[in-house]
Amino acid sequence: MSLFETLAEPWFFMWLSLSHVPATIRALVAAKDYGTLFSPSGFGEALFGTLWATIGPNVKAVSEERVIALLEGRVKGGYIQDEVISTPIYGTVLEVGAGSGMWADVLARFSSVDATGGLRKRKNAGSGITKVYGVEPNPISAKALQKRVQEVGLQDIYQVVPVGIEFVHDPSAWNGKIEPGSIDCIVGIMCMCSIPEPEKNIQLLYKLLKPGGHWFVYEHVKVSRGGPLLRFYQRLCSIPWSFMMGSCRICRNTEKSLRTAGVWQEVDLAPPSDQTDYAVMPHIIGTLKK
């Protein structure tokens, strides 16, 4: 991206969000959901949902190569490698912020039903994914997620968890329970920007990982390069952003929250190799091993 494009990027997304206000209002009126319509926070979430239905596929298309390489164990120091150099995704997986199943087809590549799909060579791992818990507290998204799971053929191993992170261990909150220390891999793809109480919930997720478990990360984060003017500009953008983009926050220091969530054997988190130093919406990619 050029300097102008990266400076304009958050404003472009906010403009797209504003353009979806009429459609969001029409949908809420048609559903007679006046409580959400007249609730600032509720309308903001509905607006973001309408926006994401439009831009989600494009965001996925731009990010898919990186995400697949990450899950294949082909990312190191922000660079995509030609061969598998670290542990690919395997075993019991927890997908955070599963939404309506945008990444379900990618996870299906790694299921134990077809463990070689998408992999060049496995390293220090089992025979693919054997179980997936998809955490999605929004009831509308959770219903769509269940449908998507059926479409991609994961219905035998994918369980939708329709509650927030803080309730995944509580069988009275949903029809199941995820025990601490029972998860082999956590997948977080552009979702930590939106979870409530990020430090608390990231620490809760850490406790769910087995010793030796892996956390696969691809997130947009707080500016850490580019100097004080760029950091100030990101904070400036975050003011209108918080009103137009639901619970998404662009100044969230997710990398720090992840690094300090607990004791890690290995941490490999870095900006993607092709990311400019002046990105206003920078990303990190990589893994952490408990």
Side-chain angles (χ1 to χ4, degrees):
M1 280 189 178
S2 68
L3 176 60
F4 173 78
E5 287 172 327
T6 190
L7 292 176
E9 186 179 20
W11 300 101
F12 174 71
F13 279 109
M14 287 186 277
W15 174 81
L16 281 177
S17 179
L18 282 175
S19 73
H20 284 74
V21 168
T24 305
I25 293 174
R26 287 195 299 270
L28 293 174
V29 170
K32 298 182 179 179
D33 189 356
Y34 301 113
T36 300
L37 180 63
F38 294 109
S39 164
S41 60
F43 184 80
E45 290 299 322
L47 175 60
F48 186 74
T50 306
L51 170 67
W52 194 252
T54 300
I55 68 172
N58 292 329
V59 172
K60 181 185 178 185
V62 170
S63 308
E64 192 165 20
E65 180 183 3
R66 289 175 180 167
V67 172
I68 291 173
L70 174 67
L71 300 182
E72 286 182 336
R74 293 193 297 114
V75 173
K76 183 72 173 178
Y79 286 83
I80 295 176
Q81 310 295 323
D82 291 333
E83 300 296 331
V84 175
I85 58 171
S86 60
T87 305
I89 192 169
Y90 68 97
T92 301
V93 173
L94 188 148
E95 183 185 9
V96 186
S100 57
M102 187 166 78
W103 297 102
D105 61 320
V106 172
L107 292 177
R109 294 173 178 233
F110 302 94
S111 72
S112 57
V113 177
D114 181 15
T116 60
L119 282 180
R120 289 159 172 75
K121 182 179 178 183
R122 287 191 167 269
K123 177 181 178 182
N124 300 326
S127 57
I129 294 174
T130 56
K131 175 74 176 180
V132 183
Y133 293 104
V135 178
E136 181 46 61
N138 183 293
I140 296 175
S141 295
K143 184 177 179 180
L145 175 60
Q146 189 65 64
K147 180 181 178 183
R148 182 61 175 157
V149 166
Q150 296 280 338
E151 291 173 351
V152 300
L154 284 179
Q155 63 274 9
D156 292 336
I157 66 168
Y158 197 115
Q159 185 172 3
V160 176
V161 182
V163 296
I165 295 165
E166 64 272 30
F167 298 114
V168 299
H169 66 283
D170 184 358
S172 67
W174 67 290
N175 186 30
K177 182 179 181 180
I178 303 177
E179 298 282 358
S182 65
I183 299 297
D184 293 301
C185 297
I186 293 176
V187 177
I189 305 172
M190 294 181 286
C191 64
M192 296 298 164
C193 58
S194 299
I195 65 171
E197 300 181 275
E199 286 79 13
K200 172 186 173 182
N201 280 314
I202 286 173
Q203 288 170 9
L204 289 173
L205 289 168
Y206 174 87
K207 293 176 182 178
L208 297 178
L209 269 180
K210 294 177 181 178
H214 294 75
W215 193 323
F216 294 84
V217 177
Y218 181 58
E219 300 284 350
H220 73 79
V221 294
K222 181 180 180 180
V223 165
S224 61
R225 302 189 292 182
L229 284 178
L230 191 64
R231 291 193 291 272
F232 173 77
Y233 183 74
Q234 189 191 49
R235 289 196 297 271
L236 179 66
C237 292
S238 73
I239 298 171
W241 182 277
S242 65
F243 292 99
M244 300 182 200
M245 303 298 290
S247 56
C248 178
R249 298 293 179 264
I250 59 172
C251 289
R252 185 165 285 183
N253 198 346
T254 298
E255 181 174 358
K256 179 182 177 182
S257 298
L258 287 166
R259 287 178 177 273
T260 59
V263 178
W264 301 102
Q265 293 185 49
E266 300 173 10
V267 177
D268 176 30
L269 297 176
S273 59
D274 58 350
Q275 182 169 279
T276 65
D277 288 340
Y278 47 79
V280 181
M281 297 176 63
H283 290 72
I284 55 169
I285 189 169
T287 56
L288 305 98
K289 180 180 179 181
K290 185 174 179 180

